[in-house]
Structure formats: C-alpha cells, structure tokens
Amino acid sequence: MNKYRYRKWFEDARFGMFVHWGVYSLIGRGEWVRSNERLSVEDYQPYVERFQPDSFSAETIVSLAEEAGMKYIVFTARHHDGYCLFDTATTDYQSAHYCGHDFVREMADACHRHGMKFGLYYSLIDWHHPDYPHYGDRIHPQRDDPAWKGYDHNFSWYLDFMHEQVRELCSNYGRVDLLWLDYSYDDMRAETWQAEELVQMIRTLQPGIVLNNRLEASGEGFGSLVSGSPTSVSGDFVSPEQIIPPHGIVDCNGKHVPWEACITMNNHWGYCKDDHYFKPADMLIRKLVECVSKNGNMILNIGPDGDGNIPPESVEILKEIAAWMKHSGESVHGCHGTGLEKPEYGRITAKENIVYYHVLEGMIGGIPLTGLKKEQVKKITVLKTDREIPVSDTWITGNYPDIVFADMGEDPCLPDTADTVLKVEVIE
Ligand code: GLC
C-alpha cells in the first residue's frame, strides 16, 4: 500500500493558511511571550481571564482563505502556552471554560461547510502543565527559575494528558485532514513523546490524515523522511520554517520528499502589535510559485489579535493574492516542478501537458521558453488576459534556432507586475 497516497490532496493543494491565535494574541508580543519574558503561569493568568474575543469569526477566516486560493487551513488548537482553544475534558485551561467558545469546533464547522481541508496545529510542548519539564529545559519560561530546581515532574502523567487531548481532537471534530505537531528539540523527540503510540492512535482515528515531521524534528532538522529510512513517526511532509529550501527537498537517494514552507506575513506567528514588516503580496505570490516550482507547498500565516480581528495588512495581502489567484491560480494548484533549467526571468511549473512559464521580468526580443522545442508548442496563452500569443518567428530570434520564444507583442510592460504566467500547451 502506498502509505503516501493520502498526500495527493496535500501536494495538489500547494497553498494553505496557518492561523496562530490564542491568549498570547491579547498581549501582542508574539506566541513566545511567556518564554521570552519568563512569564509564570500566575503572570499569564490575568490575560487568560481577559481573553474574551468577541470579533473572532471562523467564517471570515475560511472565506478569506478560500478567495486567496488556499486549499487548507491549519488552526492552533493549543500552542506552547498550554491554553486549549477546544473543549477538552482533560483540563479547564481552555476556551470553552473561560469564554464559552470551542473555537476548534467553530473552525472545523466552517472548513467543512466550505469544503476547505481542515488542519490543526497542536503543540507537543506545554508550559502550563506541572509535569512538563521546567528548570533546565531549553525553552520553558521557568527554565532558570530556581524555585523549580529539583521539582519532581511525572512526565508520564503529562504524556497521558497530551495523548488524551490528541485523541479528543481526532475524535470530536469530524474529519481532520492534517495534524501539524510542534516541535521536537534536544532529547524531547520521537519516543520521548511516545510517538509510535501517538501516531498509531492518530492514523486509526483519522485514516486519511496528513502528518508533519515534527514528532522527531523541527524547523531546523528534517528527520528520517530525508535520511532515506522513514519510520512510522517520520510524518508525511517536511516543514522548513521561514525559508524556502534553495533546491527543494529530496532524501539522501535524491528521491522527492513532500515539503511545506511555513511562512509568516510579518515576522511573527502570533499577533505582534509592533511588527509592521509585512511582506508585499507580489513577493508572497512569487515565493509561492517558487515553492511549487521546487515541488513544495507554502503555508502562509495570519495572526489575529486578542479580540479575533485579522490585522488589516493581512487582509489586504490576502485580497491581492486572491486577485492574482483568480486569473492565474491554475499555474499553482495541482502543479509541480519540471526539472527544466530555471529561466533567468522567472520560474516554471507544470501539470499534465501544460507548462507554465512565470515571467517576473520583461525580456527584450521575446520570452525564451527554456526546455521546449518549437515543434512541441501547441498553443501559448497569457493566463491573466486569456490572450493567445504566437511563437516568435522573426529575424531577431532566428539567430537562436534551438530556442523557442513567445512573442509578447509591442507593449514592453508585462500584463501582471507580480507574475505574468504563460500557459504553454505542449505536444507530448
Ligand atoms: C516554531 C515556533 C512556534 C510556531 C511554529 C510554526 O515551532 O516555536 O511558535 O508555532 O514554529 O511553524
């Protein structure tokens, strides 16, 4: 049985939305605020009680994602702070108890209504649970608090708690298409999490689910998916973080490995009120195309604020991406790289008998369709305008008989400043 068969929808989707949201969003200094500022559970409690988000709308989020051509959403069910955005029987440290909302339910229902693939982010790490390592841990908020030195944690109690929460998430919300577990570090990986047992349960409850690789890896390490000897806890895709792998990702035998670059719009996952360094929409469109041209996905993050409002900069970016997707999304969805030499003006993606040339800068004398021969070209269309354009057949390109050029006509300006896509139907 091809154990990777579940990944077809994932690799066809190519583009997803990450949603990082929780009590930390109320503080507005990112999701690591407790660790960065050494906030204790007691320091954090006032924010837990003040977290009463009236503006959160799963429907709005899913609609924005759908319009932007995103085919799956990954929503934070629980981040490192341990606060659960779902109704769990394991603890009262959760949104149904404090603010009467099961936000995972709301997101699941909205995704299922829209036919949007539904994914959950779940932190393996828990800075609230008393049996998670504190003093001496690499990242815990109380890692250097002498009051916790020598504290007798019962880590197996924490594992029972964590596994039970994952069981609830895989049992109570209908189909879960993707589980984004996060993350392994130092000796906190694989069997420290009792990963075999956890994955067995997850895949039993959700047979079609797609898992990431962070039960044994994290943003910096890729784990056994690339070492050529995948295990049952390898996951189904590799998760490079805040970077697009220069050459895509293959295993030690050069075999393709599904991967997804997780990228923030500014520089924070969770809402950060002073971070206004948002990446321009045209850059994000080009980066998405770059991922696809390297056989990968891109998941793009939004971080709603403490009331549940999506930052206006993020909404504007998503709407600009939506406009491009509307006319050129077919050059992303269901597409992959080609192994052809990257053209100096852009990128190449493809599916079936179609090759998409992504023209990011204008060329003088025509657009060289690298990798193709003239006799292969059946039809060339500018995706945005649906205008058919000819193969260049003038003395200017006659000096390059081995190269086929698309004739863009007299106007030197490209129809789309972000990415003008030439759809080339080829004769196989
Ligand atoms: C890292 C960060 C975590 C974030 C995740 C998203 O693991 O620690 O805060 O949720 O990346 O990829």
Side-chain angles (χ1 to χ4, degrees), residues 106-125:
E106 294 171 26
M107 187 55 74
D109 291 350
C111 284
H112 294 149
R113 265 198 313 274
H114 284 256
M116 173 74 68
K117 293 292 188 183
F118 172 55
L120 289 171
Y121 167 105
Y122 181 80
S123 173
L124 299 163
I125 298 161

Side-chain angles (χ1 to χ4, degrees), residues 18 20 31-32 79-80 121 180 182-183 214 241 262 269:
F18 226 151
H20 274 74
E31 75 289 353
W32 272 65
H79 208 271
H80 307 335
Y121 167 105
W180 219 99
D182 190 45
Y183 68 91
R214 294 197 178 188
E241 179 171 334
C262 50
W269 299 102

Side-chain angles (χ1 to χ4, degrees), residues 239-244 261-269 279:
S239 55
E241 179 171 334
Q242 300 288 37
I243 190 170
I244 296 172
C262 50
I263 309 292
T264 52
M265 282 196 189
N266 53 10
N267 293 297
H268 286 80
W269 299 102
K279 302 167 183 71

Side-chain angles (χ1 to χ4, degrees), residues 244 259 261 287-298:
I244 296 172
W259 58 271
K287 296 302 110 184
L288 169 60
V289 168
E290 179 179 348
C291 287
V292 178
S293 75
K294 295 174 177 176
N295 295 310
N297 287 26
M298 184 169 93

